[in-house]
Amino acid sequence: MFRQSIAVRRWACALGMVALAAPLSAAPRIIPRAPSVWLDDYTTAELKSRIDKGCPVVIVFSGGTEETGPYLALGKHAARIRAYGEAIARNVGDALIAPVLHYAPNPPYMTPFPGTISLRPETFAAVNEDVARSLINGGFRRIALMSEHGPSQKPLAEVAARLNAEFADKGAQVFYISDGYTRARREIEAAIRAEGKVGGGHGGLWDTSETLAVDPSLVRPGPYLPGTIDNDGNGPVNALGYSGDPTGANARIGHEFGAMRVRLASAELSAALKSAGACRK
């Protein structure tokens, strides 16, 4: 799915270059584009029109900027969010994505590594709360909070519960969508263990494979070596900053894992929207 979208973009770019080289008298070929799902591609007037005509849900998708050892670049979360978020929004339908949030809480063992940018959990929660409030104040009535990052899950659940209690009688709802991370990770790691490999890891098999699938430029070439493998790879990182075993990582299985995350998150959000009922303007 993601490989196809990359190929389509490259094909469109190449076709654009051909069009530039064609004689001015040649009629340009118009390639239709699907409307963007990214909030910051729209004007305020265009967003107001979307709100007036429907009940778009805005996905607030946070990642993180953190070390992941010698093989993965700091921007792995943002790259995966751009791919997964767009696919989720298109699956759901009337959905937009707020600008990616790049910073998140991190455990203390990550902070000494260069490039890790960490927020206190209360700061992270406050940022997400303020983003959700801003969207609600602007007229949106459906907000979905989700994250690609483990330590972000609890603060997001708490923010959603707090805002829902406040806005329960005002027509706005905030959904905490976790299946794309928590449930998907549990199922992905179980599948890896079934193959006799180390299931988890910060920079392990699934982490490296999923990044290879969405942006191979963010993954340094192997040979990959195992990190610490305590607690099925989900224990402490080694001196290089990673755990688990990325040996055998490849884009093919990364696509499979990514597709699972998209499917589970899309299903959970679609069910939440259906349960929410009609939109109160």
Side-chain angles (χ1 to χ4, degrees):
M1 174 168 50
F2 302 120
R3 181 182 301 156
Q4 182 183 22
S5 65
I6 292 170
V8 168
R9 287 197 295 271
R10 289 175 177 167
W11 172 77
C13 180
L15 191 59
M17 294 302 293
V18 170
L20 287 173
L24 292 177
S25 58
R29 181 179 178 185
I30 304 300
I31 304 172
R33 290 181 57 193
S36 175
V37 296
W38 294 96
L39 187 82
D40 49 3
D41 285 342
Y42 289 79
T43 68
T44 297
E46 290 166 343
L47 288 176
K48 185 177 185 306
S49 177
R50 284 286 295 269
I51 293 169
D52 291 343
K53 292 177 181 177
C55 192
V57 59
V58 182
I59 299 169
V60 180
F61 210 155
S62 59
T65 301
E66 62 185 20
E67 68 82 20
T68 315
Y71 305 123
L72 299 187
L74 296 165
K76 64 170 189 178
H77 281 305
R80 297 199 304 240
I81 285 173
R82 285 190 290 269
Y84 300 168
E86 178 151 356
I88 292 165
R90 295 201 183 281
N91 284 347
V92 169
D94 194 7
L96 296 165
I97 313 172
V100 175
L101 296 177
H102 289 265
Y103 309 122
N106 286 299
Y109 65 76
M110 282 191 192
T111 56
F113 290 93
T116 297
I117 300 175
S118 192
L119 299 182
R120 289 169 293 169
E122 59 270 28
T123 303
F124 174 76
V127 169
N128 278 272
E129 181 171 334
D130 284 356
V131 170
R133 286 183 182 278
S134 296
L135 293 166
I136 293 169
N137 289 338
F140 291 100
R141 290 295 174 262
R142 301 284 186 263
I143 313 297
L145 303 179
M146 62 179 72
S147 179
E148 246 261 316
H149 184 65
S152 302
Q153 303 302 317
K154 185 172 182 287
L156 292 183
E158 292 171 348
V159 168
R162 185 161 58 248
L163 291 177
N164 279 329
E166 178 180 343
F167 289 99
D169 60 347
K170 300 176 184 176
Q173 286 186 268
V174 179
F175 311 106
Y176 165 55
I177 303 301
S178 63
D179 281 359
Y181 181 82
T182 304
R183 179 180 169 186
R185 179 169 177 172
R186 185 169 61 246
E187 295 185 11
I188 287 167
E189 292 187 4
I192 295 172
R193 284 195 301 273
E195 297 290 326
K197 299 177 181 179
V198 178
H202 180 68
L205 183 62
W206 65 259
D207 208 357
T208 304
S209 295
E210 289 186 56
T211 308
L212 276 168
V214 300
D215 190 346
S217 73
L218 298 180
V219 184
R220 305 300 177 255
Y224 303 125
L225 302 173
T228 54
I229 57 172
D230 299 353
N231 191 27
D232 196 34
N234 290 318
V237 299
N238 62 12
L240 295 176
Y242 74 109
S243 62
D245 187 358
T247 305
N250 61 77
R252 179 187 60 78
I253 59 174
H255 282 291
E256 293 174 3
F257 297 156
M260 178 188 292
R261 293 187 189 277
V262 168
R263 174 175 54 80
L264 291 174
S266 300
E268 185 183 13
L269 179 53
S270 295
L273 291 168
K274 183 177 180 180
S275 177
C279 192
R280 287 169 55 189
K281 299 296 181 70

